[in-house]
Amino acid sequence: MSDKAPWITFRPELKVLDCTIRDGGLVNAHQFSDQFVRAAYCTCVAAGIDYMEIGYKNSPRVFPKDKFGAWRHCDEDDIRRVVGDHDPVKTGLKLAVMADAGKSDWQTQLIPAADSVLSTIRVAYYAHQVSEAVDMIYHATELGYEATSNLMAVSSITEEEIDTVLEAIAPTPASTMVIVDSFGYLYREQVDRLYHKYSEALAGTGKEIGIHAHNNLQLAFANTIEAIILGCNRVDSTLYGFGRGAGNCNTEILLGFLRNPKFNLRPVIEMIQNHLLPLRKELDWGPSIPYHITGQLNQHPRSAIEWREGATPDDFLSFYDKVVSEV
Amino acid sequence: MSDKAPWITFRPELKVLDCTIRDGGLVNAHQFSDQFVRAAYCTCVAAGIDYMEIGYKNSPRVFPKDKFGAWRHCDEDDIRRVVGDHDPVKTGLKLAVMADAGKSDWQTQLIPAADSVLSTIRVAYYAHQVSEAVDMIYHATELGYEATSNLMAVSSITEEEIDTVLEAIAPTPASTMVIVDSFGYLYREQVDRLYHKYSEALAGTGKEIGIHAHNNLQLAFANTIEAIILGCNRVDSTLYGFGRGAGNCNTEILLGFLRNPKFNLRPVIEMIQNHLLPLRKELDWGPSIPYHITGQLNQHPRSAIEWREGATPDDFLSFYDKVVSEV
């Protein structure tokens, strides 16, 4: 039993990434008004947040522009329309986008970093796509971006697959390897095991470990602070937990936990009150019983999302019976 | 890094106590219909839950019967009207009530256990009331009940006060010493410290350690499973998290985590759908920003509850400004 209380001090190297627009956009096909995205941007700046993930850099062939909003593709002009000639030094905020293996025209969609307001490309991929992910990381880095490695759905693959991914990622210039709990399935011990596995495999490479948690079991914040305690220095969260399905670690709770005085909770609460609360009346996200059920079964939340969007969103018992019968 | 996955096995000695009626009753002055309490009782039996806390054994002088429902006093006749001649052996369920130091006429309110359907008296007290709590524990035990020791608001007292309480409780016949996070303030490390402190102070007494978590920071379930991992064998939860303020650890998530095949999730989901969802439309509970704020400040949720019951429950910013200015 330590006599220290580490929860009242802070690590200056810990960086927060707010992915509200990117992950929340999965709820509304990224159909945000410019006003909403600008408010989120101003909030991130005012709150002292380190990174804002402003959307996906995904292919308009896969996600047609008549069905998906601008934040699914993040064309430079669209971003600049909202953030102007964003300056990461003056604002203290870096802008990031996520590019998926298999869903991005990354060879043609990325412009040189010197011509972009973006600083960071987060490369998201499933284990079987790691070779493309490695190419994407090199490509983004050569264009002058920081690139990160986001292995999705890590709870659904074997130890050997994880080891193989880590071996492939270790020599790349990715700045960060993110523990991504896509299904909201992980318990603390599993976060611990993954953290140690990732950090041992990447020792000496200078890479940071990140955490991206989902809230199916009301564990997103708990797993995030667990990862922080272990040593994760890249932490994802969203305003009011806005994100696909059960949503994410709440930025407002996370900032209240972090003791770095550069963070400011007040603009986050203001943004939630003015923009997220009204949105929550239109859109469904956050922990609810269908997400608990898929989370505990280590399933993609797809079936729960469909149920919540269907005719009987509160008929939890029929959803439970359906899922249990299909396992 | 252990090679074992303890989260897929179970400890048979771990007992779940559902305190929906007792803690949820703090939201509605215990004004439940008999039908609601009976449904909760039948759910506990069907779900394989070990203890049901059916209310408070509190004084009708302090809580007048014209303002507070029957479950604030738990007269034997009221309980029997709902549960009949409840049999703990046949049902596998023990009935419990909570008696508060300073608020109970425990000398006169308790009848001999042989004449009651109740098995367990949970003695709740603040540190400065420990002497009365000790008397209550002896009295309840002499009447034939199991008695437990529930030191409330442990996050707001000093180490020395906790040590003194533990010294006073150790020689009593209390079966269990419960870690009670009344303010929803504790993080995992703090749960760990308290667990070790409690178990070291009570070593050799045969007492179990319990956990009662509140959800101000969305950590009720996380802290509960942390306590379980450490060795807690008495675990509190409520249906749909129904409880004062931010609510409690959700029974439905907890049962999904526990692997003891005696537990059955389906009746819990049915109860929630039929009784808790409709109630949630009338009453406010569960994590929301005012509770995050009081939780992170280690304050009683009183001010947040008043705010949520007031004219502008969603004006989070004004609540934040008010609380910050008053700290």
Side-chain angles (χ1 to χ4, degrees):
Chain A
M1 187 156 92
S2 157
D3 285 336
K4 292 290 174 68
W7 55 85
I8 64 169
T9 57
F10 72 91
R11 283 203 306 271
E13 57 272 33
L14 190 152
K15 309 287 185 198
V16 173
L17 182 147
D18 185 283
C19 51
T20 302
I21 303 299
R22 200 273 305 163
D23 208 318
L26 293 170
V27 182
N28 71 346
H30 292 88
Q31 305 281 10
F32 295 109
S33 68
D34 285 0
Q35 186 205 12
F36 185 94
V37 180
R38 193 174 294 116
Y41 168 78
C42 294
T43 299
C44 287
V45 172
I49 285 169
D50 302 282
Y51 289 83
M52 171 183 181
E53 193 172 55
I54 199 163
Y56 280 99
K57 190 70 102 172
N58 273 349
S59 167
R61 292 178 300 103
V62 185
F63 301 94
K65 291 200 170 184
D66 60 341
K67 289 191 183 148
F68 293 87
W71 313 103
R72 191 83 204 200
H73 319 100
C74 284
D75 295 341
E76 189 72 18
D77 290 348
D78 287 318
I79 306 177
R80 284 184 188 264
R81 196 177 64 244
V82 165
V83 305
D85 292 330
H86 167 75
D87 184 337
V89 177
K90 270 194 202 155
T91 57
L93 179 73
K94 290 180 180 169
L95 293 176
V97 291
M98 179 165 277
D100 289 285
K103 298 180 187 170
S104 299
D105 301 329
W106 50 272
Q107 297 92 337
T108 55
Q109 275 188 298
L110 293 181
I111 63 173
D115 301 328
S116 177
V117 289
L118 295 174
S119 300
T120 303
I121 310 295
R122 299 219 300 170
V123 175
Y125 59 96
Y126 293 105
H128 68 277
Q129 299 168 316
V130 67
S131 299
E132 184 183 355
V134 167
D135 289 346
M136 293 168 75
I137 289 166
Y138 276 106
H139 179 68
T141 307
E142 283 157 14
L143 287 174
Y145 295 100
E146 174 191 13
T148 74
S149 161
N150 296 45
L151 170 63
M152 296 185 290
V154 66
S155 63
S156 67
I157 56 177
T158 64
E159 297 283 305
E160 291 73 18
E161 289 170 310
I162 300 173
D163 291 338
T164 303
V165 167
L166 291 169
E167 265 179 53
I169 294 299
T172 72
S175 69
T176 305
M177 178 78 199
V178 183
I179 300 169
V180 184
D181 183 15
S182 305
F183 300 167
Y185 169 75
L186 298 177
Y187 295 110
R188 178 177 82 71
E189 302 99 306
Q190 296 161 296
V191 172
D192 288 16
R193 292 161 63 93
L194 288 169
Y195 176 82
H196 290 298
K197 180 182 269 292
Y198 283 27
S199 58
E200 281 161 28
L202 302 174
T205 67
K207 292 183 189 355
E208 295 282 1
I209 311 294
I211 179 81
H212 179 87
H214 277 282
N215 213 12
N216 299 60
L217 300 176
Q218 295 187 8
L219 291 176
F221 175 56
N223 285 342
T224 299
I225 60 179
E226 177 68 15
I228 290 172
I229 292 161
L230 292 166
C232 272
N233 280 329
R234 296 292 181 273
V235 181
D236 291 7
S237 64
T238 68
L239 299 161
Y240 213 47
F242 183 34
R244 178 163 65 181
N248 298 64
C249 174
N250 298 53
T251 300
E252 64 275 19
I253 305 184
L254 180 64
L255 290 197
F257 171 78
L258 299 175
R259 302 308 187 201
N260 189 333
K262 83 169 195 136
F263 293 120
N264 184 2
L265 186 56
R266 193 178 189 282
V268 171
I269 293 177
E270 190 167 18
M271 171 77 192
I272 289 169
Q273 181 166 333
N274 293 338
H275 295 277
L276 277 302
L277 268 186
L279 195 65
R280 185 63 184 76
K281 295 193 164 74
E282 294 167 30
L283 301 175
D284 182 66
W285 76 83
S288 74
I289 285 180
Y291 299 120
H292 303 338
I293 295 169
T294 62
Q296 283 179 320
L297 291 171
N298 197 14
Q299 291 183 357
H300 193 287
R302 194 177 297 117
S303 62
I305 292 169
E306 284 167 12
W307 195 265
R308 293 293 295 166
E309 290 174 347
T312 56
D314 290 343
D315 185 356
F316 302 150
L317 196 63
S318 296
F319 181 75
Y320 175 80
D321 288 341
K322 174 181 175 295
V323 170
V324 167
S325 71
E326 289 170 355
V327 167
Chain B
M1 187 156 92
S2 157
D3 285 337
K4 293 288 175 67
W7 56 85
I8 63 171
T9 57
F10 73 92
R11 283 203 306 271
E13 58 272 32
L14 191 153
K15 309 287 186 199
V16 173
L17 181 145
D18 185 284
C19 50
T20 302
I21 303 299
R22 199 274 303 163
D23 208 319
L26 293 170
V27 183
N28 71 346
H30 292 87
Q31 304 282 10
F32 296 108
S33 68
D34 284 1
Q35 185 205 14
F36 185 94
V37 180
R38 191 174 294 115
Y41 168 78
C42 293
T43 298
C44 287
V45 172
I49 286 169
D50 303 283
Y51 289 83
M52 174 185 180
E53 193 172 56
I54 200 163
Y56 280 99
K57 189 70 101 171
N58 273 349
S59 167
R61 291 178 300 103
V62 185
F63 302 94
K65 292 200 171 185
D66 59 343
K67 290 192 184 146
F68 293 87
W71 314 102
R72 190 84 204 200
H73 320 100
C74 284
D75 294 341
E76 189 72 19
D77 288 348
D78 287 317
I79 306 177
R80 285 184 188 264
R81 196 176 63 244
V82 165
V83 306
D85 292 330
H86 167 76
D87 183 337
V89 177
K90 270 194 203 155
T91 57
L93 178 75
K94 290 179 178 168
L95 293 177
V97 291
M98 179 165 278
D100 289 284
K103 299 179 187 170
S104 298
D105 301 328
W106 51 272
Q107 297 92 336
T108 54
Q109 274 190 299
L110 293 181
I111 62 173
D115 301 328
S116 177
V117 288
L118 296 174
S119 300
T120 302
I121 310 295
R122 298 219 300 171
V123 175
Y125 60 95
Y126 293 105
H128 68 277
Q129 300 169 314
V130 66
S131 299
E132 183 182 356
V134 167
D135 289 347
M136 293 168 74
I137 289 165
Y138 277 105
H139 180 68
T141 307
E142 283 157 14
L143 287 174
Y145 295 100
E146 174 191 14
T148 74
S149 160
N150 296 44
L151 169 63
M152 295 186 289
V154 66
S155 63
S156 67
I157 56 176
T158 64
E159 297 284 305
E160 291 73 17
E161 289 171 309
I162 300 173
D163 291 339
T164 303
V165 167
L166 291 169
E167 266 178 52
I169 295 298
T172 73
S175 69
T176 305
M177 177 78 198
V178 183
I179 300 169
V180 184
D181 183 15
S182 305
F183 300 168
Y185 169 76
L186 298 177
Y187 295 111
R188 177 178 83 70
E189 302 100 305
Q190 296 160 296
V191 173
D192 288 17
R193 291 161 63 93
L194 288 169
Y195 176 82
H196 289 298
K197 180 181 269 293
Y198 284 27
S199 58
E200 280 161 27
L202 302 174
T205 67
K207 292 185 190 354
E208 295 283 2
I209 312 293
I211 179 83
H212 179 86
H214 277 282
N215 213 12
N216 299 60
L217 300 175
Q218 294 188 8
L219 291 176
F221 175 55
N223 285 342
T224 300
I225 60 178
E226 178 67 15
I228 290 172
I229 292 161
L230 291 166
C232 272
N233 280 328
R234 296 292 182 273
V235 181
D236 290 7
S237 64
T238 68
L239 299 161
Y240 212 47
F242 183 34
R244 178 164 65 181
N248 298 64
C249 173
N250 298 53
T251 300
E252 64 275 19
I253 305 184
L254 180 64
L255 290 197
F257 171 78
L258 300 175
R259 303 309 189 201
N260 189 334
K262 84 170 194 135
F263 293 120
N264 184 2
L265 186 55
R266 194 179 187 281
V268 172
I269 294 177
E270 190 167 17
M271 171 77 191
I272 289 170
Q273 181 166 334
N274 293 338
H275 295 277
L276 277 303
L277 268 185
L279 194 66
R280 184 64 184 77
K281 294 192 166 75
E282 295 167 31
L283 301 175
D284 182 67
W285 75 82
S288 73
I289 285 180
Y291 299 120
H292 302 337
I293 294 169
T294 62
Q296 283 180 322
L297 290 171
N298 197 15
Q299 292 183 356
H300 193 287
R302 195 176 297 116
S303 62
I305 292 169
E306 284 167 12
W307 195 265
R308 294 292 294 167
E309 290 174 346
T312 56
D314 290 343
D315 186 356
F316 301 150
L317 197 62
S318 297
F319 181 75
Y320 175 80
D321 288 341
K322 174 181 176 295
V323 170
V324 167
S325 71
E326 290 170 355
V327 167

